[in-house]
Amino acid sequence: MTTETLAAGAVPAGESGAGRTHWWRDAVIYQVYIRSFADSDGDGVGDLPGIRSRLPYLAGLGVDALWITPFYLSPMADFGYDVADYRAVDPVFGTLDDFRDLLTDAHARGLRVIVDLVPNHTSDLHAWFVEALAAPEGSAARDRYIFRDGRGSRGELPPNDWESVFGGPAWTRTVDADGRPGQWYLHLFAPEQPDLNWELEEVRAEFLDVLRFWLDLGVDGFRIDVAHGMVKAPGLPDVGRADHVELIGNAVLPFFDQDGVHEIYRAWRVLLDSYPGERIGVAEAWAPTPERLANYVRPDELHQAFNFDFLAQPFQAGALRAAIDHSLATAGSVGAPSTWVLSNHDTKRHVTRYGGGAVGRARARAAALLMLALPGSAYVYQGEELGLPEVLDIPVEFLVDPQGIQSGDPAKGRDGCRVPLPWSGTVPPYGFGPAGSTASWLPAPASWSSLTIEAESGDPGSMLELYRSALALRRALPSLGAQTADSALMWLELPGAPEAVLAFRRGDRFVCMVNTGSEAVTLPAPGALLLASAAVPVLADSITLPADSAAWWRV
Ligand code: GLC
């Protein structure tokens, strides 16, 4: 790591104004996938009062903020990522008053709340799209979306070769009032998620107003869904490739990561900054390179972008170190904090990605200590603090994710990372709902009784207690988290350490060591042991770091 990078990790001078806490630069943000977090009314679907009732758990875990996935009025074709009304709460999740109460209580506990904004597309049942379908070709109502004539002599072919992220063509043909086939509309995701036309001033104004609506209610920020998708290349040119576009990918495409998208975020930043309390924007953006991703977090754009490059790495020292260096350097080059994420509601849970079983669990424990020792902000996906694995054997009749269904490949489905959180008890759904309720929109495995919050609480060997300890230390140790120049990351080259070992310092007094190899490694003792993901024998002047483990040291 170069001295330039160290300097770039510091808070930019222009942002150090009075009253700015930069809370977000090192915040640990807990992702609540609302359908699966806590169900207050026994309908088998998590909801806002459910989250509210579990705030003591989240505050006790030691996170700084929650990001709640969409809870707006939605026909649920993509479980809330198809929004029919951006200012209304879906009855399955509660009411606007429930949200107000949740926000008040969260703030009272010192937890910030980030909501999910879905600007790339609406639901097909949004009033605008219903109006557009009923309106004639070329009308102002249709211009809010992307309608085009088909190719072929009778318009029978899609307007271009774009494929939906979920599989199949990204275009669906409409039927005119007289019953004849009409124009096609674009949907980068499901047909029930028509893409908006962000060239239109009216669309931009509407979303500024939606942002104001939630900012006025007091939210602390927005996670911006498909933040790289809103602007399409002029003329909607063919991709010219036969292979399928992955949601999680780095391809250069005419509908993702277009330069024009940044103008939108500059306008949003002005709005966010006009509110007190450092309200933030977080981009869910997939860009071809970390450099392109850094564009989203320039000082006049959004605050953070998810670091999917880190998530995509295998549990292997070289790959992790390269991703860390690259992320710190590129985010640092624009003065932004890096972010770190291991799992979310769109990807296979990392216990399983890292090999599953005891090995996957050991690696996930080590990865948690690695992530929480890195400079910047970390995202924790609900259930990772319990070590939940991906559920790979959900009976096929329960599978509901459009990505799995539309692609025709259940292995691509995301249901397995969305199974309701196990709270207590010994039988599914493990206290997910009110006492006596057995309802759960996805079935939880019979094997999860040892993975509940109740079962793991107080067990010193549990994943939950590891996260609690790590988060408490992260708060207590001044060298962790904060992106000040003097606590930037400094790699250590340890004599005799094999390539599978990563070691770095944060500040003068903190060292993190990770052994990604399958053999234990004996190394000189760096100081006093603070926390470890596995039993670490410490002798007078040497320590043994087991396979797939990590440890924190006070120097
Ligand atoms: C984002 C969401 C994902 C959703 C998609 C379409 O990638 O994280 O869950 O399906 O956008 O809105």
Side-chain angles (χ1 to χ4, degrees), residues 78 81 121 166 189 223 225-226 284 345-346 414 418:
D78 191 17
Y81 285 97
H121 42 263
F166 292 160
F189 294 87
R223 176 262 188 192
D225 188 66
V226 196
E284 185 228 10
H345 67 295
D346 292 330
R414 299 167 295 180
R418 298 175 176 181

Side-chain angles (χ1 to χ4, degrees), residues 83-85 122-133 141 144-145:
V83 179
D85 183 343
T122 68
S123 158
D124 62 336
L125 297 187
H126 187 285
W128 273 4
F129 195 72
V130 172
E131 191 189 341
L133 279 185
R144 294 183 183 127
Y145 293 88

Side-chain angles (χ1 to χ4, degrees), residues 75 82-86 120-136 139-148 170-175 183-188 190-197 202-203 206-207:
D82 49 321
V83 179
D85 183 343
Y86 290 86
N120 179 68
H121 42 263
T122 68
S123 158
D124 62 336
L125 297 187
H126 187 285
W128 273 4
F129 195 72
V130 172
E131 191 189 341
L133 279 185
S139 58
R142 285 215 168 173
D143 199 27
R144 294 183 183 127
Y145 293 88
I146 304 178
F147 281 85
R148 293 287 184 278
W171 297 90
T172 290
R173 195 166 193 187
T174 60
V175 179
Q183 285 190 302
W184 299 70
Y185 68 88
L186 178 72
H187 52 87
L188 291 181
E192 296 88 349
Q193 293 168 296
D195 279 52
L196 283 163
N197 172 16
E202 185 189 3
V203 169
E206 166 67 2
F207 274 87

Side-chain angles (χ1 to χ4, degrees), residues 17-350:
R20 295 223 176 252
T21 62
H22 298 104
W23 68 269
W24 46 277
R25 294 188 72 92
D26 63 352
V28 177
I29 301 175
Y30 185 95
Q31 180 188 353
V32 173
Y33 187 73
I34 184 167
R35 282 188 86 77
S36 304
F37 186 69
D39 170 22
S40 72
D41 56 9
D43 65 356
V45 175
D47 46 42
L48 293 167
I51 302 173
R52 186 176 170 216
S53 71
R54 301 296 190 173
L55 287 173
Y57 168 70
L58 295 172
L61 183 59
V63 298
D64 302 296
L66 327 180
W67 145 36
I68 308 175
T69 57
F71 49 82
Y72 318 107
L73 189 71
S74 167
M76 306 289 165
D78 191 17
F79 299 104
Y81 285 97
D82 49 321
V83 179
D85 183 343
Y86 290 86
R87 298 174 185 81
V89 171
D90 196 280
V92 82
F93 297 133
T95 64
L96 203 54
D97 276 336
D98 290 334
F99 180 73
R100 285 196 186 95
D101 291 344
L102 167 59
L103 195 60
T104 305
D105 283 11
H107 285 166
R109 289 183 181 276
L111 292 166
R112 289 185 159 89
V113 177
I114 292 170
V115 296
D116 210 319
L117 186 75
V118 190
N120 179 68
H121 42 263
T122 68
S123 158
D124 62 336
L125 297 187
H126 187 285
W128 273 4
F129 195 72
V130 172
E131 191 189 341
L133 279 185
E137 289 178 20
S139 58
R142 285 215 168 173
D143 199 27
R144 294 183 183 127
Y145 293 88
I146 304 178
F147 281 85
R148 293 287 184 278
D149 293 333
R151 294 204 270 209
S153 54
R154 284 163 290 111
E156 73 280 14
L157 300 172
N160 68 20
D161 68 353
W162 295 4
E163 267 196 54
S164 150
V165 171
F166 292 160
W171 297 90
T172 290
R173 195 166 193 187
T174 60
V175 179
D176 285 339
D178 60 7
R180 281 196 268 192
Q183 285 190 302
W184 299 70
Y185 68 88
L186 178 72
H187 52 87
L188 291 181
F189 294 87
E192 296 88 349
Q193 293 168 296
D195 279 52
L196 283 163
N197 172 16
W198 275 85
E199 305 299 329
L200 202 68
E201 205 37 59
E202 185 189 3
V203 169
R204 296 187 182 221
E206 166 67 2
F207 274 87
L208 282 170
D209 204 59
V210 169
L211 287 169
R212 263 183 228 111
F213 178 84
W214 294 100
L215 288 166
D216 288 341
L217 277 175
V219 303
D220 299 285
F222 301 89
R223 176 262 188 192
I224 296 140
D225 188 66
V226 196
H228 56 314
M230 282 118 88
V231 173
K232 278 78 180 173
L236 313 183
D238 279 341
V239 172
R241 291 186 357 187
D243 53 330
H244 175 66
V245 172
E246 299 289 335
L247 172 60
I248 296 167
N250 308 100
V252 176
L253 294 161
F255 45 81
F256 281 161
D257 192 40
Q258 299 294 305
D259 289 336
V261 85
H262 297 287
E263 195 183 313
I264 299 169
Y265 299 128
R266 284 192 279 271
W268 288 12
R269 182 61 181 258
V270 171
L271 180 67
L272 291 172
D273 284 350
S274 73
Y275 281 79
E278 292 173 82
R279 320 286 179 102
I280 69 165
V282 184
E284 185 228 10
W286 297 89
T289 61
E291 288 75 15
R292 296 280 312 179
L293 188 64
N295 288 341
Y296 292 79
V297 290
R298 286 177 286 198
D300 59 346
E301 297 197 31
L302 300 172
H303 297 72
Q304 297 183 344
F306 290 109
N307 184 352
F308 296 122
D309 191 40
F310 181 69
L311 179 152
Q313 299 310 317
F315 188 73
Q316 198 260 322
L320 288 167
R321 178 169 171 165
I324 293 166
D325 276 341
H326 210 159
S327 307
L328 288 173
T330 47
S333 71
V334 291
S338 284
T339 65
W340 313 102
V341 60
L342 292 166
S343 279
N344 63 31
H345 67 295
D346 292 330
T347 48
K348 205 169 254 144
R349 283 187 177 275
H350 59 277

